[in-house]
Amino acid sequence: MSNNFDTITHRKAQPMTTHRIGLVVPSSNVTVETEMPALLARHPDASFSFHSSRMRMTAVSPEQLRAMNAQRERCILELGDAGVGAMLYACLVALMAAGPGEHQRVEGLIAEQLATGGSDAAVRSSAGALIEGLRALGATRIALVTPYMRPLAVKVVEYIEAEGIAVTDWRALEVSDNAEVGVIPGSRVMDAARSLDLTGVDALVISACVQMPSLPLVQAAEDEFGVPVLSAATAGAYSLLRALDLTVDLAGAGSLLRADAPAPATI
């Protein structure tokens, strides 16, 4: 009995590995630094610390997005100094607005900059993570909700479709102030989702933006609509876990984040 107890006690005392996550975020973003830690805190076998660097941006406009992207190199230097093991460029529309393939180009440039400083941190972006998550779900036909003004929302739709994924229906909430995006009520997002034609879709993107709150909505929407539901935030968490070679099994955040969950027992 005592040997058994000692073994269990010793096992429980083993510390989990802590992974440092770097986040490059717009200065007005207050959501990704809340939702990403909340998601990854559910991981059963690892712990995480989060380290952010900010790029100035208050209005979600083509001009401010371009000016924000120009601050990228400073942010990468700062996060490289923190010795992060993985990094997420956390502004989806900033890359998608620049045209197809931009996430691959920017992720490559960031990796090169980090390597110059001696870092081999894994590099991901919210734009690339959304595509990765949709492909992991096998989704070829999707619907989505965005907070953006319609011209930017069209850019997001075109970007996704250039990756070979058809966007069959979508809604733009047309909020240009990024601070206001961060407090869009979940009821408004769900109303927009309910207005979509989900016939034949493989997945629903409930929030194509890391600033528009989504974490309380993903599982509820998946349960209601009966299709896989993800967001820029849950896709980002999925991509980071894959980059770090960690199990993807986080409860209560949609089927994408249960990718490695044990199969249900059969009778």
Side-chain angles (χ1 to χ4, degrees), residues 18-213:
T18 298
H19 300 270
R20 294 180 189 171
I21 305 295
L23 299 171
V24 181
V25 297
S27 59
S28 50
N29 188 301
V30 296
T31 304
V32 69
E33 292 158 310
T34 301
E35 293 195 340
M36 198 62 65
L39 277 168
L40 294 183
R42 303 176 188 182
H43 199 280
D45 304 318
S47 62
F48 304 86
S49 63
F50 296 87
H51 313 276
S52 300
S53 183
R54 312 185 84 77
M55 307 174 290
R56 188 77 195 281
M57 187 271 277
T58 57
V60 190
S61 67
E63 297 76 20
Q64 286 210 21
L65 290 172
R66 283 193 295 270
M68 183 190 75
N69 283 334
Q71 302 166 54
R72 182 189 72 235
E73 292 187 5
R74 171 188 55 78
C75 293
I76 303 310
L77 283 172
E78 292 175 359
L79 294 175
D81 290 346
V84 299
M87 188 178 299
L88 182 70
Y89 193 87
C91 187
L92 180 144
V93 72
L95 299 189
M96 289 195 176
E102 183 69 1
H103 73 275
Q104 295 167 322
R105 188 185 76 84
V106 169
E107 288 173 13
L109 289 172
I110 292 173
E112 288 178 12
Q113 184 180 350
L114 287 169
T116 300
S119 169
D120 60 355
V123 177
R124 296 294 186 269
S125 66
S126 295
L130 184 63
I131 302 302
E132 181 183 0
L134 290 170
R135 287 184 175 146
L137 290 169
T140 59
R141 291 168 54 84
I142 70 164
L144 63 84
V145 179
T146 81
Y148 311 122
M149 301 301 289
R150 190 173 180 86
L152 280 175
V154 168
K155 292 276 191 182
V156 170
V157 170
E158 291 173 346
Y159 194 100
I160 294 170
E161 293 196 321
E163 294 287 335
I165 301 167
V167 180
T168 61
D169 201 6
W170 56 278
R171 296 290 180 271
L173 301 184
E174 299 209 85
V175 180
S176 62
D177 185 298
N178 205 40
E180 291 182 16
V181 172
V183 293
I184 292 174
S187 58
R188 184 179 177 191
V189 180
M190 289 296 289
D191 286 346
R194 292 184 184 111
S195 75
L196 293 164
D197 182 356
L198 300 180
T199 305
V201 302
D202 303 308
L204 165 64
V205 180
I206 196 75
S207 173
C209 174
V210 291
Q211 170 73 329
M212 187 164 77

